[in-house]
Amino acid sequence: MSLLVVGLSHRSAPVSVLERAALPADAKAKLLQDTLAAEPAGEAAVLATCNRIELYADVDKFHAGVAELSTLLAQHSGVGLEELTPYLYVHYEDRAVHHLFSVACGLDSMVVGEGQILGQIKDALATSQEMHTAGRLLNDLFQQGLRVGKRAHSETGIDRAGQSLVTFGLEQLAEGAAVETWAAGKRALVIGAGSMSSLAAATLARAGVAEVVVANRTLERAERLAQILTEGDDTDVRARAVPMSAVQDELTRADIAVSCTGATGLVLTAEAVAAAVEGRVPAAAPSGVPAPGRPGDARATAPAAARDVSGDLPPTGLGAEDGCPLDVTAVQATTATAGFSVQGEAAVAGMAAADLEQHAAWVDKGAGDAARGPRAAGAAGTTVLGPDGDAELISALAATAATAGRVPERRRPEPVRVPHQAPALALLDLAMPRDIDAAVHRLPGVRLVDIESLAEASADAPMAADVDQVRRIVADEVTAFGAAQRAARITPTVVALRTMAADVVASEIARLEGRLPGLDDKQRGEITQTVRRVVDKLLHAPTVRVKQLAAEPGGAGYADALRTLFDLDPETVASVSRAEHDSKNGGDAENRGRA
């Protein structure tokens, strides 16, 4: 039998596919049962989180195992096999061990180094033990994975390389500000009372929010979480519980909302969020023109004196002037304070020759006359170009660009700083499938961070030196685990050999008693002990050496050689393996809470 894992994660599949493939609790249990019933699999475990779904199995045939596990994932996720297959990855034997250990250390997480995955691995192991689908291999694998993850967090600074998904999400909402500063005094609504929601509530409480309201379908769980927050020694936050029916009312008063439920449909629709922020954000200006002072309207922030230097610039936008290759709105915003007109040198500095010629033709046709003014002294001694000089200067610049390839940037106007308007409602969706309609990001006054945006934000996160140290730990642990597993595979054969030797000794002692009936107990005991010592000494060196050889790569054949040389009964070896399997399962079921 060999370890095989087939799965998909945020690294291999888009969030839309992960969302559709999410497995509810009852589907996980059925998947485990069906996997164990499949011909190639002898053991099974499912690791399903908000950004990964992985099926682990002990299989006797690689290709048949891959086909069967892929089909089972498709059936139970509800995503067709043809659609799912391009996003699936397969790991086998040592690569499968390496994968789980990397996952346990947080190296494969959306936020590198996050520690929540350890709890999810522990839950996966407990579920497979309760369903009696985990045998010796998967028990050993998952328990060792938990130990490796804990070692990585205790021996390295991997925690500094990343944060929990909750912390990272709040940092994205804070947009560069300290979470404690951004959250201070705000009112927070947490939807759900599971492990992720509880972590979000505790994180917000420690960050200094004024109030946390917990909503859950089971009110008792929400009340228990609210009580824990209120009685916590490290915060003085107000906390209360409400039923799910009160979410809409609470949303109208909340500044922050975090949702992570097990719902299969949307918890917050775009219409519900729009109703919650109605009256809390300025109304949009008519005809699509941004309201004064709103983000995106750079002209509204330019000083009136600077705008008057080149005349009253008309409110134009990209594409509003036929034939003009410039984003006129941006040019007006960035050139007004420097004293240049929209046709002036600053507007075209750095422009490629082909675009410059197009712009010269646009100016020469008389376009944008309203934007031109008489030649005048600009701010800080610069010159504002009028109708008589624009086309000529641009033509001269075009000649320069024809040889240089680009107009030299003699002056780069300072960018206009637009004051940022904080959203009226910040939303963090940590559920998979999503709880909050993705369309709310288009609502004014609302900022949404969800699993998809978190994946994009963390894609280019720098890797710390601690990550390299964790990778070395994983590599060492994979080698040690492989050696232990290979050595363990020969143990039933060694036990069967020693059992056979003990039976031979007992048989010969019985024959001796028949031939020498006059032996007293002392004499019989001495003879028995002598024969046993001889047999043990003869077997000691070969069995120790065969275990060492079996632990090395390619050592699987030594068990077969031992069985052949000593003519061991395969059923005897199998019975030893079954006894170890049953003992391992019973012990783990009894003590799984200690993992």
Side-chain angles (χ1 to χ4, degrees):
M1 302 292 278
S2 302
L3 178 64
L4 174 67
V5 56
V6 178
L8 67 160
S9 73
H10 64 99
R11 295 187 183 276
S12 69
V15 172
S16 58
V17 174
L18 282 171
E19 186 177 40
R20 291 168 53 208
L23 295 172
D26 55 344
K28 294 179 193 176
K30 188 66 167 61
L31 176 58
L32 285 172
Q33 293 173 340
D34 290 352
T35 302
L36 209 60
E39 182 178 344
E43 302 180 30
V46 174
L47 178 59
T49 71
C50 60
N51 53 31
R52 78 177 60 249
I53 302 165
E54 296 176 346
L55 180 56
Y56 291 77
D58 187 12
V59 300
D60 56 4
K61 299 175 184 176
F62 172 74
H63 294 290
V66 172
E68 189 66 37
L69 267 58
S70 301
T71 301
L72 287 168
L73 278 175
Q75 289 175 349
H76 290 272
S77 68
V79 180
L81 182 59
E82 290 186 359
E83 182 181 359
L84 192 64
T85 298
Y87 305 114
L88 294 176
Y89 48 77
V90 175
H91 298 297
Y92 190 58
E93 289 288 57
D94 285 353
R95 289 301 307 169
V97 177
H98 188 282
H99 176 73
L100 180 66
F101 288 2
S102 297
V103 169
C105 293
L107 293 180
D108 198 58
S109 296
M110 188 176 293
V111 181
V112 175
E114 61 93 8
Q116 294 177 53
I117 187 64
L118 285 174
Q120 293 161 336
I121 291 175
K122 185 177 180 181
D123 291 342
L125 175 59
T127 300
S128 62
Q129 288 172 344
E130 290 169 1
M131 300 288 297
H132 303 290
T133 63
R136 182 188 59 80
L137 176 60
L138 292 185
N139 271 297
D140 289 350
L141 174 70
F142 275 70
Q143 288 177 357
Q144 186 65 19
L146 290 170
R147 286 190 286 269
V148 174
K150 292 173 183 176
R151 179 187 169 193
H153 284 279
S154 63
E155 295 183 14
T156 75
I158 189 68
D159 293 329
R160 296 192 298 268
Q163 313 85 5
S164 72
L165 207 58
V166 171
T167 304
F168 189 58
L170 293 177
E171 287 180 352
Q172 296 303 303
L173 286 175
E175 297 184 284
V179 172
E180 291 77 8
T181 303
W182 169 78
K186 286 184 167 63
R187 292 165 295 186
L189 171 63
V190 175
I191 305 174
S195 57
M196 188 75 78
S197 298
S198 299
L199 179 60
T203 303
L204 287 166
R206 287 193 296 269
V209 295
E211 181 183 43
V212 175
V213 178
V214 183
N216 194 57
R217 297 189 188 281
T218 305
L219 184 58
E220 290 77 12
R221 294 190 65 182
E223 291 172 339
R224 185 160 60 249
L225 177 55
Q227 182 180 3
I228 291 172
L229 294 173
T230 303
E231 296 176 353
D233 296 333
D234 54 346
T235 67
D236 56 357
V237 68
R238 298 191 307 274
R240 55 189 175 88
V242 298
M244 288 294 287
S245 58
V247 163
Q248 187 62 45
D249 286 340
E250 295 296 340
L251 198 63
T252 62
R253 294 184 285 270
D255 303 300
I256 308 167
V258 180
S259 187
C260 186
T261 72
T264 55
L266 293 176
V267 175
L268 293 179
T269 64
E271 293 77 9
V273 175
V277 297
E278 186 176 359
R280 296 165 64 181
V281 294
S287 303
V289 179
R294 293 283 303 281
D297 186 6
R299 289 184 70 252
T301 64
R307 293 200 303 272
D308 290 340
V309 169
S310 58
D312 185 16
L313 298 178
T316 58
L318 181 61
E321 298 287 344
D322 291 338
C324 178
L326 300 177
D327 181 348
V328 181
T329 303
V331 170
Q332 290 169 350
T334 57
T335 62
T337 56
F340 289 99
S341 75
V342 71
Q343 285 83 25
E345 182 179 353
V348 297
M351 184 182 292
D355 293 337
L356 185 62
E357 290 174 358
Q358 181 185 355
H359 187 55
W362 176 73
V363 172
D364 211 23
K365 290 178 181 178
D369 286 338
R372 304 184 187 182
R375 189 180 295 268
T382 59
T383 301
V384 177
L385 301 175
D388 296 330
D390 281 355
E392 290 83 354
L393 176 58
I394 290 174
S395 297
L397 289 172
T400 302
T403 56
R406 186 167 290 276
V407 179
E409 299 189 21
R410 298 191 342 193
R411 183 185 302 274
R412 187 181 298 276
E414 289 295 323
V416 175
R417 301 294 181 185
V418 180
H420 180 71
Q421 184 181 33
L425 179 60
L427 300 172
L428 178 58
D429 185 359
L430 298 174
M432 183 64 68
R434 73 187 75 212
D435 279 348
I436 304 175
D437 190 343
V440 306
H441 79 276
R442 294 194 293 268
L443 296 175
V446 177
R447 174 161 169 73
L448 170 65
V449 169
D450 56 14
I451 294 293
E452 190 164 15
S453 58
L454 286 175
E456 293 172 357
S458 63
D460 299 323
M463 304 298 285
D466 294 304
V467 172
D468 292 331
Q469 187 178 353
V470 171
R471 284 175 173 161
R472 288 192 292 271
I473 289 175
V474 168
D476 292 343
E477 292 284 357
V478 169
T479 300
F481 183 83
Q485 289 298 306
R486 287 188 291 270
R489 287 173 185 170
I490 204 170
T491 298
T493 302
V494 172
V495 171
L497 174 61
R498 289 191 173 275
T499 300
M500 183 190 74
D503 291 343
V504 170
V505 169
S507 175
E508 290 303 317
I509 293 299
R511 283 184 59 199
L512 183 62
E513 289 179 347
R515 291 181 178 182
L516 301 173
L519 291 175
D520 58 29
D521 291 342
K522 182 177 180 182
Q523 291 170 332
R524 187 182 301 107
E526 286 292 340
I527 294 172
T528 302
Q529 188 68 22
T530 299
V531 174
R532 286 176 178 171
R533 279 199 297 266
V534 170
V535 172
D536 286 343
K537 286 182 178 181
L538 287 173
L539 291 180
H540 176 72
T543 54
V544 169
R545 185 59 180 148
V546 79
K547 286 182 178 180
Q548 293 172 343
L549 293 171
E552 297 176 0
Y558 286 101
D560 293 333
L562 203 61
R563 287 193 294 269
T564 301
L565 288 172
F566 287 93
D567 194 21
L568 297 176
D569 182 5
E571 181 56 34
T572 302
V573 177
S575 65
V576 174
S577 299
R578 286 194 296 269
E580 286 190 350
H581 176 276
D582 294 341
S583 174
K584 186 72 175 176
N585 273 348
D588 287 333
E590 181 180 351
N591 301 307
R592 60 177 171 261
R594 303 173 190 174

